[in-house]
């Protein structure tokens, strides 16, 4: 009957019963409850829709509606689907890493190898507000790292580090409108219909731009009394 218990052990350590609403297996002693089988142990509903399966000495699987979503493995875990968590900590004595891997064996220009998105659920402006991705610049898989920011109307590319090591801000090429810091150690600024470079010295007079040779100042351009001066050392 309800609440009648099958009791095992000298101190009623193991109890199996139904309380009228739910069924229980209680280990109330000082030891551990073991469920053991030579092959797999499966948890399923009466229609045999599996919730979990445990295999001795190999892996365990968790299911959703009969489909495997999480598998343990010798290297960690394998997840099928999206992982949602409150945080992520990757800890290792040396070489801790997060890997975003594209499984394609024939990369073409325009492929995205991996991306990280930043999203808000603010009621006035919900959506993805920023993104970092690795982008294929060519069929051989040359990658660029791109930074996007934006609002509810869409994201815009703000910065790119291309496969040659150039840093591009507001442009997608080393000679386009915007700023580029080249791997060949030069700065290129370009803008259509406005100043490509704006430099501001606050309050006092003095140098605005200083020129150096081997670390020694050789001249400057600055402001004095509302005027511009160019100084060449002599």
């Amino acid at each position: 009957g309800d609440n009648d218990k099958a009791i095992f052990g000298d101190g009623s350590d193991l109890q199996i019963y139904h309380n009228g609403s739910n069924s229980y297996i209680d280990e109330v002693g000082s030891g551990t409850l073991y469920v053991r089988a030579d092959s797999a142990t499966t948890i399923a509903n009466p229609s045999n829709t599996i919730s979990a399966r445990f295999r001795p000495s190999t892996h365990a699987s968790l299911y959703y509606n009969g489909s495997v979503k999480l598998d343990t493995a010798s290297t960690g875990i394998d997840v099928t689907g999206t992982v949602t968590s409150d945080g992520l900590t990757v800890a290792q004595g040396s070489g801790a890493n997060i890997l975003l891997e594209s499984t394609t064996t024939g990369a073409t220009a325009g492929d995205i190898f991996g991306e990280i998105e930043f999203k808000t659920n603010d009621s006035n402006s919900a959506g993805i507000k920023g993104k970092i991705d690795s982008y294929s610049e060519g069929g051989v898989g040359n990658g660029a790292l791109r930074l996007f920011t934006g609002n509810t109307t869409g994201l815009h590319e703000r910065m790119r580090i291309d496969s040659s090591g150039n840093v591009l801000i507001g442009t997608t090429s080393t000679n386009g409108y915007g700023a580029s810091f080249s791997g060949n150690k030069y700065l290129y600024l370009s803008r259509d219909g406005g100043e490509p470079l704006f430099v501001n010295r606050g309050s006092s007079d003095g140098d605005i731009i200083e020129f150096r040779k081997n670390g020694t100042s050789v001249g400057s351009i600055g402001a004095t009394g509302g005027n511009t001066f160019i100084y060449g050392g002599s």
Side-chain angles (χ1 to χ4, degrees):
D2 290 344
N3 294 307
D4 290 342
K5 297 181 179 181
I7 298 175
F8 305 86
D10 291 344
S12 301
D13 302 299
L14 176 62
Q15 303 175 8
I16 303 174
Y17 62 97
H18 184 80
N19 69 353
S21 300
N22 301 293
S23 299
Y24 294 85
I25 301 175
D26 287 350
E27 168 53 62
V28 296
S30 59
T32 300
L33 176 64
Y34 288 87
V35 179
R36 301 194 293 185
D38 287 334
S39 56
T41 300
T42 301
I43 299 175
N45 68 8
S47 300
N48 286 325
T49 301
I50 299 174
S51 297
R53 177 169 285 169
F54 307 91
R55 301 164 183 83
S57 303
T58 57
H59 65 286
S61 304
L62 297 180
Y63 293 68
Y64 178 82
N65 195 27
S67 298
V68 176
K69 295 300 179 182
L70 187 146
D71 261 326
T72 61
S74 59
T75 56
I77 62 171
D78 293 327
V79 177
T80 301
T82 301
V83 176
T84 302
S85 69
D86 293 332
L88 172 65
T89 300
V90 179
Q92 187 168 306
S94 176
N97 72 296
I98 298 175
L99 173 65
L100 304 180
E101 180 181 4
S102 171
T103 59
T104 181
T105 57
T108 59
D111 285 352
I112 303 296
F113 300 135
E115 61 185 4
I116 301 174
E117 295 180 337
F118 304 90
K119 181 180 180 180
T120 176
N121 288 305
D122 181 82
S123 58
N124 294 319
S125 183
I128 297 171
K129 301 301 181 182
K131 180 174 72 172
I132 300 172
D133 73 23
S134 178
Y135 168 84
S136 176
E137 289 190 314
V140 296
N142 292 329
L145 189 65
R146 305 186 300 178
L147 174 65
F148 295 79
T149 60
N151 49 37
T152 53
T153 61
L155 297 176
H156 303 280
E157 186 175 339
R158 304 301 189 190
M159 187 180 79
R160 171 197 294 240
I161 304 174
D162 67 17
S163 56
S164 299
N166 300 314
V167 179
L168 313 175
I169 300 175
T171 181
T172 59
S173 67
T174 55
N175 59 358
Y177 294 125
S180 63
F181 302 84
S182 173
N184 295 323
K185 299 181 176 61
Y186 69 81
L187 170 63
Y188 182 90
L189 305 175
S190 178
R191 182 182 178 189
D192 188 12
E195 305 89 341
L197 177 64
F198 184 89
V199 182
N200 180 55
R201 177 187 175 105
S203 64
S204 64
D205 287 343
D207 292 346
I208 296 177
I209 299 175
E210 182 179 286
F211 303 93
R212 295 191 176 196
K213 174 69 167 61
N214 293 328
T216 301
S217 178
V218 295
S220 62
I221 298 175
T224 177
N227 299 308
T228 300
F229 70 78
I230 300 175
Y231 175 68
S234 60

